[in-house]
Amino acid sequence: MKGNLSTKKGFTGTHDKDNRGIRNPFEEFDTFTFHKTQIPLDQIIESTEVVMDQIRRGYEKLLEEEAKELVWMVQYNTIIKAYEVAEKHVREIDYSAEDIEDFCFALENTQKIPYFIPGPAGLYISALCNYAKEEEILLKLSELKTEINLIGFRLPKGKRLVIEGDAGDFTGIGLEGGELVVEGNTKNWTGAGMRSGKILIKKNIGLHTGEWMMGGEIYVGGRIRGLGNIVEGKVFEREKLVYPGKARHPNLYY
Amino acid sequence: MLEEKRYQAIIDELWPKLKKKHLYPEIPIPKVGEVTPSAAEEEEQGEAVGLEMKQKQITLNSTFLSRTREKMTEEGVIEALLDHGITHYTFCPWDFHTHLMLYAEAKKVMGDKEMAKQVANYFIDVTADTYCVKKRFTEIPELHRVLKKGAVEKVIASLYEKIWGVDLGILDSKAAKRGHEEIVRRLARIPYLDRSRWPESMKKFARSLKPLLLEEQEEQEAIGGKGDSNPQGDHDLNSYSYEEIDQGLRDFAKKSMALPEFKDIVEDFSEELKEAGYGMEGGMGRGRGAPIDADILFYMKLAESYSIPLRKVPLEKKGYLHPHSHSPWEVGSPFQDMDIWTSFGKIMPGITQIWKKREGKGRGKIEGAPDCLIAIDSSGSMINPRKNLSYAVLGAACAANAYLRNDSKVGVYNFSDAPMGGRDVLNFTDHHEDIYRVLCKYFGGGTALDLEDLVPLIHGRKNLDLFIITDMKITNLESLIGFFAQIQNRITAVHIGENPYAARFQRAVEKKRNISIFTVKRKEDIPHIVLGKINEYFGATCKD
């Protein structure tokens, strides 16, 4: 067919001396080859995608098991159980700190992850941080539109988690000796039930701060909206010790 | 001068090969010459710019070529620079809209205008060069090996080593040891070649590079310098033609549909837009000096993306030119007046004939569009068009465009509490900017029409369409209904959203054939408006 067409139209290429200089302009594409090499970037992107798929699947399994009706209530039992499920899935994945950050942003992309339920998502991210290879994890979340709740849950000793941006409710609850730094604000119940370790909040903090905390220190660069019922530990506001100290009523607005 | 000629000869020789390599991009043959910044400025800054692209014309800097001659072959430098320049045209940023989108994403992270431009430029360069390295045989890696590098450039060169798998002599240097590994690691995870993910990639790129850019900015401020120019050329609006800028703004307005974002970007680029001669008139005016009103430009560009139908009416037109008699065609005379029937299909002096046209009274009626008076409600119950996207202004702008496209004139009556002076009246004109300026005016008070304002605008105009766009929450709605009952002009009434007032208006005028009513709840409803829709009156010429 191609040959027929060429003869009919007279486009027989430059080899034909009878075509009086008419040249098929597409002839050179017959021999044209694309220079398409594999570069290390391809490999990096591919492996990143594979890891992200695994992390995503783990999160979806967590939702299937713990939030079947896409409703999840924050209660002591539900938190413990959901975290155990998250731990189970996270242990099977080989990932880096950057993958955790990518996952946080993927949560906002409904095409990638259709259900972003703040509670389980926060616990899953906490599990990812707690089981990460790196001792120090930096999550640049300033452009994240929603604050993640429960981030820093049970952060173990020897780990340092730095969050650029704001965090949601229940930040750093049940901290187990790790160091949690939030460059922005956090909401209510920050550091609730923490046993040891350090929480540094650069800006402001909400109500019930340090509720039932058993030890450790909370440093706040801005204002504390309200303290919770603290059992033991220290809370500083703008470098000034506010607990233990002058008797305060829980959640007193000051 | 001799050197420039030699470089030009190399380009002439390389160009066919380069064109083939890049699949024949439609750009003119590159030139050699002086590019900005000037040689004197370069001396101050210590770095020369390799190339410049203005309206698709690539110009290579002869000073830069001479300086790099010792480190790399002239052919190699020229080919690498041209590969880089052409890839900007064929892949990234590709067009002005993509450039604006990348800048907008960068701005969200960086906050600062200059830094957003800087980081967007870095992203564009990395993407273009990576594409070239992967898909074409290129000397770009070699060029990067010899280029002078600042702190950011060193990090980017480390990134190239990591993602291209080449040695640029960076990995072992001190720069890599200064804690920049983390930045490089983050940057290396970005899918630069996936166009669909560029918005998120741009943000990630900016996020990763931000600390370094802030550090560099502080250093530059401390020494009072401006920083080095990009040796591969800066990416400003000069690279785009006027039409590309116009199209880019139109696409950006349509895609973002967000007035604040559009306004922010246009204001950031206002200097460059003015420099490029981008004025306001019809979005197509040329000439410097006119200030750009971003709000008006937004509605102008957005309205261009919508087309609403306009039913024409038989109009008595006078003074039309019509073919009257023949005369012989001469070489150099226009072709469009030829009469092919009496010329026997030939173009030959002596045989070919052209029509001579005469101005005469148009007997009978010719279909055309009458002028239109647009009444727009800008009371407090309407959205302020200068703060958020107003469907009322967009709808009115689309209607105005439809009439202006048909060579008609448009008058505007913008009202809020008209009897108390809350109104603006624009007499019939075809001046786009004036029309948009009045349409975008916002009073934000009560809502009442002063019908006496409308009478002089309508009086004496036999063929005039009326277009009213409001939420119908008009205090003297009864008077308006009464007024519409008296006149025979075609009226297109558009109400924004559903409410009892609109229902009352609808019931009151439902028997009037010359009034058609449309509801706009979403922007998608705007194209469903039909201007001058009257079934009975137009049954003979236009059918629905």
Side-chain angles (χ1 to χ4, degrees):
Chain A
M1 189 64 194
K2 194 181 169 190
N4 285 346
L5 263 177
S6 308
T7 324
K8 259 187 182 174
K9 303 279 179 192
F11 289 148
T12 48
T14 44
H15 309 297
D16 189 350
K17 286 182 183 171
D18 300 329
N19 64 9
R20 288 177 294 173
I22 299 173
R23 205 173 69 85
N24 178 2
F26 303 106
E27 189 189 14
E28 54 190 279
F29 286 104
D30 288 346
T31 53
F32 185 85
T33 46
F34 264 112
H35 167 76
K36 206 174 176 182
T37 48
Q38 279 286 319
I39 53 174
L41 176 69
D42 302 325
Q43 182 61 41
I44 298 170
I45 300 299
E46 204 184 313
S47 56
T48 308
E49 290 295 323
V50 170
V51 174
M52 188 48 64
D53 275 346
Q54 289 172 338
I55 295 178
R56 206 179 300 152
R57 272 203 299 275
Y59 174 66
E60 281 163 6
K61 279 182 196 162
L62 171 68
L63 289 192
E64 274 170 32
E65 289 175 45
E66 291 302 308
K68 278 178 195 153
E69 306 296 322
L70 301 177
V71 178
W72 191 82
M73 303 295 285
V74 186
Q75 284 165 358
Y76 182 77
N77 288 346
T78 54
I79 291 175
I80 301 296
K81 195 156 171 271
Y83 183 72
E84 279 170 8
V85 177
E87 268 181 320
K88 186 181 79 187
H89 295 302
V90 161
R91 275 197 214 113
E92 294 166 7
I93 312 167
D94 185 16
Y95 58 92
S96 66
E98 284 87 20
D99 291 313
I100 307 175
E101 188 180 300
D102 285 351
F103 175 71
C104 294
F105 282 96
L107 278 170
E108 287 200 326
N109 186 340
T110 46
Q111 281 174 337
K112 285 181 182 166
I113 299 171
Y115 306 112
F116 174 25
I117 305 177
L123 285 173
Y124 191 68
I125 292 163
S126 299
L128 284 167
C129 295
N130 298 351
Y131 284 90
K133 291 186 290 269
E134 296 89 348
E135 283 182 359
E136 182 165 334
I137 299 158
L138 170 64
L139 301 180
K140 296 181 179 227
L141 307 180
S142 308
E143 286 86 44
L144 212 60
K145 290 178 194 107
T146 26
E147 294 102 3
I148 295 169
N149 295 341
L150 290 148
I151 204 157
F153 178 69
R154 284 193 180 170
L155 190 72
K157 197 175 177 187
K159 287 265 181 201
R160 186 168 189 263
L161 173 60
V162 182
I163 295 164
E164 277 186 12
D166 297 340
D169 290 320
F170 307 104
T171 300
I173 63 167
L175 203 80
E176 290 180 355
E179 185 181 337
L180 174 65
V181 182
V182 180
E183 304 276 354
N185 306 297
T186 61
K187 290 186 174 172
N188 303 334
W189 308 94
T190 299
M194 66 183 278
R195 291 169 195 180
S196 58
K198 201 155 92 176
I199 299 178
L200 281 113
I201 312 294
K202 290 276 166 74
K203 289 182 182 169
N204 303 325
I205 201 166
L207 299 169
H208 306 283
T209 300
E211 180 86 17
W212 289 101
M213 69 187 273
M214 315 290 276
E217 290 158 1
I218 300 176
Y219 293 85
V220 184
R223 294 278 299 181
I224 301 172
R225 240 189 124 194
L227 286 179
N229 292 303
I230 299 168
V231 179
E232 214 175 313
K234 286 177 183 171
V235 181
F236 297 86
E237 187 187 44
R238 293 178 187 161
E239 295 174 7
K240 198 178 142 197
L241 186 73
V242 291
Y243 186 91
K246 201 170 136 189
R248 279 170 186 269
H249 296 289
N251 296 323
L252 183 74
Y253 294 81
Y254 61 94
Chain B
M1 201 61 195
L2 268 174
E3 269 195 339
E4 277 190 18
K5 275 188 179 169
R6 201 177 69 250
Y7 294 139
Q8 191 62 54
I10 296 171
I11 292 172
D12 293 346
E13 201 186 318
L14 281 172
W15 188 237
K17 185 183 122 188
L18 280 166
K19 269 181 81 174
K20 185 180 171 183
K21 183 160 82 172
H22 292 276
L23 305 176
Y24 302 94
E26 284 182 332
I27 46 179
I29 186 160
K31 293 190 297 192
V32 179
E34 275 293 311
V35 301
T36 49
S38 66
E41 284 171 345
E42 282 164 13
E43 285 301 324
E44 275 177 30
Q45 293 176 3
E47 185 57 84
V49 174
L51 83 159
E52 179 183 75
M53 202 164 174
K54 273 189 179 169
Q55 307 214 351
K56 295 184 187 176
Q57 176 64 61
I58 299 177
T59 309
L60 299 187
N61 189 358
S62 51
T63 320
F64 178 86
L65 295 176
S66 305
R67 283 185 193 174
T68 43
R69 195 166 49 190
E70 295 144 21
K71 302 167 195 162
M72 199 178 159
T73 62
E74 285 169 345
E75 288 81 3
V77 179
I78 290 173
E79 189 170 344
L81 283 174
L82 292 180
D83 279 339
H84 176 84
I86 295 169
T87 314
H88 281 323
Y89 179 71
T90 58
F91 186 66
C92 184
W94 173 263
D95 61 5
F96 182 57
H97 169 234
T98 315
H99 194 153
L100 279 184
M101 178 273 289
L102 291 174
Y103 170 77
E105 295 299 329
K107 179 95 189 281
K108 284 178 195 164
V109 180
M110 305 304 286
D112 177 69
K113 172 183 155 185
E114 288 308 318
M115 282 177 81
K117 280 183 185 172
Q118 202 182 353
V119 79
N121 287 346
Y122 280 124
F123 180 84
I124 290 169
D125 278 342
V126 171
T127 305
D129 284 354
T130 305
Y131 178 81
C132 222
V133 167
K134 183 171 163 64
K135 304 244 168 138
R136 314 269 183 258
F137 289 105
T138 180
E139 297 280 345
I140 285 177
E142 192 56 36
L143 179 67
H144 280 289
R145 205 193 311 275
V146 302
L147 285 178
K148 195 185 164 208
K149 296 171 191 76
V152 183
E153 285 77 14
K154 276 182 186 159
V155 168
I156 287 176
S158 304
L159 167 72
Y160 289 149
E161 288 187 334
K162 201 171 168 84
I163 63 173
W164 296 349
V166 293
D167 176 22
L168 301 178
I170 296 290
L171 271 181
D172 301 326
S173 74
K174 280 180 190 170
K177 289 173 190 163
R178 269 176 44 197
H180 294 157
E181 301 95 328
E182 196 220 323
I183 299 174
V184 175
R185 210 171 54 237
R186 282 171 176 274
L187 292 175
R189 293 164 54 89
I190 297 171
Y192 296 100
L193 305 184
D194 188 347
R195 190 190 285 268
S196 65
R197 292 169 68 184
W198 277 353
E200 56 169 302
S201 297
M202 179 70 252
K203 274 200 274 194
K204 198 171 169 186
F205 187 87
R207 220 167 31 235
S208 309
L209 217 52
K210 191 177 177 179
L212 190 64
L213 288 171
L214 285 170
E215 202 179 288
E216 202 191 45
Q217 193 190 37
E218 274 171 25
E219 276 174 26
Q220 291 299 336
E221 276 170 5
I223 57 169
K226 268 166 63 183
D228 290 342
S229 318
N230 182 357
Q232 287 180 304
D234 287 320
H235 311 294
D236 49 27
L237 300 197
N238 286 331
S239 325
Y240 304 99
S241 68
Y242 189 88
E243 285 70 24
E244 281 175 308
I245 293 174
D246 200 47
Q247 179 67 39
L249 288 173
R250 194 176 307 136
D251 291 345
F252 190 70
K254 196 180 168 189
K255 200 126 189 179
S256 69
M257 289 301 284
L259 176 63
E261 199 177 329
F262 183 87
K263 200 171 167 176
D264 199 26
I265 299 299
V266 169
E267 277 168 6
D268 286 353
F269 281 96
S270 65
E271 284 305 311
E272 287 95 328
L273 285 170
K274 270 191 250 170
E275 200 77 30
Y278 198 87
M280 282 289 299
E281 177 47 33
M284 297 298 288
R286 286 162 199 258
R288 290 191 59 176
I292 293 169
D293 186 328
D295 299 332
I296 295 178
L297 192 62
F298 175 71
Y299 288 104
M300 230 177 220
K301 295 295 122 196
L302 203 54
E304 282 170 15
S305 308
Y306 291 88
S307 176
I308 55 177
L310 167 61
R311 298 271 188 253
K312 293 186 178 175
V313 287
L315 294 175
E316 242 178 68
K317 287 268 182 180
K318 288 177 185 172
Y320 265 121
L321 287 173
H322 62 90
H324 181 262
S325 57
H326 285 107
S327 70
W329 174 76
E330 291 165 2
V331 177
S333 305
F335 289 93
Q336 66 264 28
D337 294 338
M338 277 179 187
D339 182 355
I340 53 163
W341 304 107
T342 58
S343 307
F344 310 106
K346 296 194 188 313
I347 301 174
M348 200 178 287
I351 293 177
T352 310
Q353 290 191 318
I354 56 169
W355 277 112
K356 270 188 111 177
K357 290 180 179 173
R358 265 200 193 173
E359 195 177 291
K361 284 183 182 174
R363 284 174 185 267
K365 290 178 175 178
I366 300 163
E367 275 208 342
D371 292 344
C372 179
L373 173 66
I374 293 177
I376 183 168
D377 180 355
S378 66
S379 62
S381 57
M382 305 294 283
I383 289 171
N384 184 348
R386 289 188 178 269
K387 287 201 171 152
N388 285 303
L389 169 62
S390 157
Y391 294 159
V393 173
L394 181 60
C398 292
N401 279 3
Y403 283 95
L404 292 171
R405 265 199 298 270
N406 283 286
D407 299 324
S408 302
K409 289 186 175 178
V410 171
V412 184
Y413 178 68
N414 184 329
F415 67 97
S416 169
D417 199 351
M420 301 299 289
R423 67 177 186 278
D424 199 351
V425 183
L426 175 75
N427 216 334
F428 292 90
T429 177
D430 53 5
H431 204 244
H432 280 73
E433 198 183 330
D434 290 346
I435 294 167
Y436 275 80
R437 210 173 286 286
V438 181
L439 286 179
C440 286
K441 200 161 187 177
Y442 186 70
F443 290 101
T447 321
L449 275 151
D450 192 347
L451 297 171
E452 286 190 8
D453 290 335
L454 294 175
V455 175
L457 291 164
I458 297 171
H459 186 71
R461 287 177 178 267
K462 197 177 165 191
N463 281 302
L464 177 75
D465 283 356
L466 257 81
F467 179 91
I468 180 163
I469 193 158
T470 167
D471 58 2
M472 295 288 174
K473 291 175 190 166
I474 302 170
T475 318
N476 55 348
L477 187 65
E478 305 304 330
S479 322
L480 182 72
I481 293 168
F483 176 71
F484 282 170
Q486 290 166 19
I487 57 173
Q488 290 305 314
N489 302 62
R490 301 189 306 177
I491 301 166
T492 309
V494 180
H495 60 88
I496 306 291
E498 295 277 13
N499 58 58
Y501 304 91
R504 206 170 88 206
F505 178 81
Q506 205 153 0
R507 271 200 304 278
V509 299
E510 64 189 356
K511 286 184 183 163
K512 289 283 287 176
R513 297 281 179 193
N514 59 328
I515 304 178
S516 48
I517 304 170
F518 299 89
T519 313
V520 171
K521 288 181 194 164
R522 303 163 303 154
K523 63 180 185 302
E524 288 80 12
D525 295 331
I526 292 171
H528 295 137
I529 299 170
V530 181
L531 299 163
K533 186 184 172 189
I534 300 162
N535 290 332
E536 196 180 72
Y537 187 62
F538 278 105
T541 48
C542 300
K543 283 177 185 169
D544 283 335

